[in-house]
Amino acid sequence: MTAETEVLSDSHPAERTERAPRRMSRHVVGWLLASPLTVILAAFLILPIITIVVVSFWGATEFSIYPAFQFDNYEFLFSSPVTYTVFLNTFKYAAITWVCTLLIGFTVAYFLAFHIRSLNWQIALFLLCTIPFWTSNIIRMISWIPFLGRNGIGNTALINAGIIDEPLEWLLYSDFAVILAFVHLYTLFMVVPIFNSMMRIDRSLLEAARDNGASGWQTLWNVVIPLCKPGIMIGTIFVITLVMGDFITVRFMSGSQSANVGRLISNDIGLLQYPSAAATAVVLLCTVLLVIAILMRFVDIRKEL
Amino acid sequence: MEPRPKSFYALSAFFALFILFLYGPIITIGILSFQGPQGGLTFPMNGVSVHWFFDLFEQQAVGDIWGSFWRSFMLGLMVMVTTVIVSVAAGLAFRHRFAGSGALFYLTVASLVIPSILISLGVGLIFNQLGLPVYWATSGFGAQLTWTLPFGLLIMFAVFNRFDKSYEEAARDQGATAWQTFAHVVLPIIAPSLIGVALFGFTLSYDEFARTLLTAGSYNTLPLEIFGMTTNVTTPVIYALGTLTTMFSFLVIGVFFLIVGGISRRRAKAGSDAGDGLV
């Protein structure tokens, strides 16, 4: 076959130019096609992170930053009790949000995958769940104000129902509001990958479980959940990293009363203390990558697409 | 069909509550944006009016809303086109299983999970140190691509993992060049998915906040402008703006769905009639 092509290209010069690219090594073709992606990621992902790492060793005056190689920023960061409180708080948000989004996301995905029988309905209801993802997060946060305010819908409804006598103060601008907003914004990131995993489960496995006398719960626990593990892991990675890196939801929904690592960084940026912000960012990055490295041990993402 | 189990009804109710949880708040501010001129940020409604929508058109009342809308819109289009082209090229590249493709894949995933504020801070610092001004169409554009490209590439992965290679082989066997095979066989087959990539590219850019925060410079994009309003605007005008931009988002999503629907309908009509006469 190759020999034949050689002969052909030798006798027709025009054919040679046409056939030439096919003999180009797949490595060259691959890198050529991937070069735009590589260049963009190098310039706007790798380079910024290198810059942050470098600047985290720099010094700062009140108005400017200057190159140096000192560990002051890290020393200050690790000696301050605020750092530990804030990191602990960040983990707390991540853990609670993870549990809530997982429970809600799994239930919703289960309903869509196993209880909706027509494919068209499945697609329609799935899209209904995903549409908010394509709208603005900030507006979705703002839209909780009329519900959670002191005289908001939530308090009014609870008072009218006779459950409480006075308005609850902790609805808006509290940890409750922060987590509510996280769950509202990010449950979708659980629903999509878990739904994807569930749709790949061979339905005859469920029948087999039932024929062998498994109850509904046993089937769920021993068949469905183990087969959904990759989806659950991907959703978990999304939710945990989004919550850990967030700074705006916490600031807005807590009314600036609670802090997480992202807010620590953005406060330093506001004060133009870039080296200190960079040091915190480096520690945050290491924490997030560590968490992901642990989670990635449970799943091969490329297989799941 | 066998009867529905009891759990179906419980789960249906749960699903309905979830949908209410997703859409309830945005519908509420939709209603509240029609507050009367004396109305406040929550119920009861103090009359019904379009007062707050008119307020949006007065420059002094709320700042440069329309300027920031156009910047966000243009930036969305730029990011959308770039995301589609770069994702398709990279998607094709990964089919060649070139050396180092694994590392590039993990780098792309890293781009997705790295906290946005790091990109924002890093890109801001680079421009700062190079003495370049940060500007939405340069630094902001690049920073947003680190968020949209991973989604684009993941979609392309899903597409090409399900792609039937025999179509390409057929084209090649009939003498099509690599470019002809791509343009006349591969591209039309994957076109609906590209609309999906475009939808992600545009909307994720249009709504992006954290990555643009330190990279947009003195001219705000719309999400930055809206966030600025939350700290100093205490009237329903912010609901009116929220309602309008959400309607715009729904409009954009609707247009994308219509395009995909149109393509698949045209395809069904123009599809093969092989076997139809047999039954």
Side-chain angles (χ1 to χ4, degrees):
Chain A
M1 169 76 198
T2 328
E4 229 174 58
T5 336
E6 296 283 338
V7 172
L8 271 176
S9 4
D10 278 341
S11 49
H12 303 279
E15 190 112 3
R16 174 187 284 168
T17 46
E18 257 180 34
R19 299 279 160 131
R22 241 201 280 172
R23 263 182 279 151
M24 231 192 302
S25 138
R26 66 195 160 93
H27 302 294
V28 177
V29 176
W31 276 112
L32 275 180
L33 285 167
S35 57
L37 177 73
T38 316
V39 169
I40 291 170
L41 290 183
F44 291 97
L45 178 72
I46 299 177
L47 206 56
I49 286 172
I50 294 173
T51 311
I52 289 177
V53 174
V54 170
V55 170
S56 72
F57 295 104
W58 287 16
T61 65
E62 251 176 81
F63 314 103
S64 66
I65 56 177
Y66 56 89
F69 187 73
Q70 53 190 28
F71 289 86
D72 296 21
N73 302 311
Y74 289 100
E75 267 168 37
F76 179 79
L77 190 66
F78 285 113
S79 63
S80 161
V82 175
T83 310
Y84 299 96
T85 324
V86 165
F87 264 90
L88 206 65
N89 213 24
T90 307
F91 281 118
K92 184 186 80 182
Y93 287 141
I96 300 175
T97 308
W98 176 70
V99 172
C100 297
T101 53
L102 177 59
L103 290 177
I104 298 173
F106 187 90
T107 313
V108 167
Y110 185 84
F111 173 73
L112 288 179
F114 294 113
H115 282 280
I116 303 297
R117 285 164 177 169
S118 110
L119 184 64
N120 282 340
W121 270 105
Q122 264 176 340
I123 294 172
L125 293 178
F126 178 74
L127 286 177
L128 195 62
C129 292
T130 50
I131 282 172
F133 171 68
W134 293 309
T135 65
S136 164
N137 278 4
I138 302 226
I139 289 168
R140 290 173 71 197
M141 279 182 234
I142 293 171
S143 66
W144 279 104
I145 294 176
F147 270 89
L148 301 177
R150 199 167 185 283
N151 302 310
I153 298 168
N155 270 325
T156 314
L158 287 172
I159 291 174
N160 288 346
I163 298 171
I164 52 171
D165 298 324
E166 284 176 22
L168 299 172
E169 299 288 347
W170 50 265
L171 285 183
L172 189 57
Y173 303 137
S174 62
D175 279 355
F176 170 79
V178 172
I179 287 168
L180 183 74
F182 276 143
V183 173
H184 186 228
L185 294 176
Y186 299 145
T187 299
L188 180 77
F189 286 92
M190 279 289 186
V191 174
V192 173
I194 296 179
F195 178 72
N196 180 41
S197 286
M198 282 177 176
M199 293 300 278
R200 292 166 169 220
I201 295 178
D202 186 347
R203 294 302 189 268
S204 56
L205 292 175
L206 304 184
E207 268 172 49
R210 203 167 53 183
D211 291 347
N212 283 301
S215 71
W217 286 107
Q218 282 172 326
T219 312
L220 181 69
W221 189 254
N222 296 312
V223 181
V224 177
I225 290 181
L227 289 172
C228 288
K229 225 178 232 164
I232 293 173
M233 281 304 149
I234 292 175
T236 303
I237 291 173
F238 264 115
V239 169
I240 300 245
T241 54
L242 283 168
V243 172
M244 287 190 67
D246 171 88
F247 64 103
I248 212 65
T249 314
V250 174
R251 174 164 156 203
F252 186 78
M253 297 307 282
S254 79
S256 295
Q257 290 174 39
S258 301
N260 69 343
V261 185
R263 279 206 62 205
L264 209 59
I265 299 172
S266 75
N267 285 349
D268 276 342
I269 292 172
L271 298 168
L272 302 180
Q273 298 298 306
Y274 293 116
S276 154
T280 316
V282 169
V283 177
L284 174 65
L285 180 63
C286 294
T287 317
V288 169
L289 290 181
L290 193 71
V291 172
I292 295 168
I294 294 169
L295 292 171
M296 289 280 251
R297 295 186 72 91
F298 298 100
V299 59
D300 179 357
I301 293 190
R302 276 181 88 158
K303 264 195 203 153
E304 297 310 315
L305 296 164
Chain B
M1 239 187 227
E2 55 182 312
R4 299 280 193 185
K6 267 189 211 129
S7 57
F8 170 78
Y9 299 99
L11 286 171
S12 301
F14 185 88
F15 184 78
L17 281 176
F18 177 69
I19 293 298
L20 191 66
F21 172 66
L22 276 186
Y23 289 90
I26 198 75
I27 293 170
T28 312
I29 68 161
I31 297 170
L32 283 170
S33 58
F34 289 97
Q35 275 277 23
Q38 309 301 322
L41 283 174
T42 183
F43 288 108
M45 293 287 279
N46 209 328
V48 174
S49 76
V50 288
H51 173 88
W52 303 107
F53 289 97
F54 276 104
D55 247 22
L56 280 178
F57 291 85
E58 284 167 28
Q59 289 282 319
Q60 298 85 350
V62 285
D64 187 15
I65 290 294
W66 300 103
S68 58
F69 170 75
W70 277 111
R71 281 189 284 279
S72 278
F73 187 72
M74 291 312 294
L75 185 56
L77 290 181
M78 285 162 59
V79 170
M80 176 181 91
V81 171
T82 316
T83 304
V84 171
I85 295 172
V86 175
S87 305
V88 172
L92 292 168
F94 276 98
R95 302 174 78 202
H96 291 278
R97 309 216 167 277
F98 54 98
S101 60
L104 186 61
F105 175 75
Y106 281 109
L107 187 67
T108 315
V109 172
S111 184
L112 200 59
V113 295
I114 274 171
S116 318
I117 194 163
L118 265 86
I119 305 284
S120 215
L121 174 62
V123 173
L125 280 172
I126 291 174
F127 274 68
N128 191 318
Q129 291 301 310
L130 293 176
L132 299 167
V134 283
Y135 185 57
W136 59 271
T138 55
S139 47
F141 172 66
Q144 290 195 343
L145 287 176
T146 62
W147 178 234
T148 57
L149 284 179
F151 280 103
L153 186 67
L154 291 182
I155 296 173
M156 292 323 296
F157 260 92
V159 169
F160 282 127
N161 279 352
R162 290 162 179 74
F163 192 85
D164 187 348
K165 280 194 178 139
S166 50
Y167 292 113
E168 284 170 286
E169 277 158 26
R172 262 202 299 269
D173 288 349
Q174 311 229 19
T177 61
W179 172 253
Q180 285 173 326
T181 311
F182 172 73
H184 299 296
V185 178
V186 179
L187 198 58
I189 293 177
I190 63 172
S193 318
L194 296 192
I195 308 288
V197 176
L199 173 65
F200 272 82
F202 182 83
T203 58
L204 293 183
S205 158
Y206 179 74
D207 298 322
E208 176 56 41
F209 177 82
R211 281 166 209 251
T212 341
L213 182 63
L214 301 171
T215 56
S218 32
Y219 296 101
N220 276 347
T221 60
L222 192 57
L224 296 175
E225 195 73 25
I226 292 172
F227 187 73
M229 286 175 71
T230 60
T231 51
N232 54 27
V233 176
T234 49
T235 59
V237 73
I238 197 162
Y239 294 159
L241 181 56
T243 307
L244 275 190
T245 59
T246 307
M247 292 318 285
F248 179 76
S249 291
F250 285 161
L251 182 77
V252 169
I253 299 167
V255 167
F256 277 107
F257 282 174
L258 280 180
I259 296 175
V260 173
I263 291 178
S264 48
R265 246 197 314 280
R266 219 179 49 216
R267 250 179 221 181
K269 228 194 278 175
S272 160
D273 59 355
D276 275 2
L278 295 175
V279 190

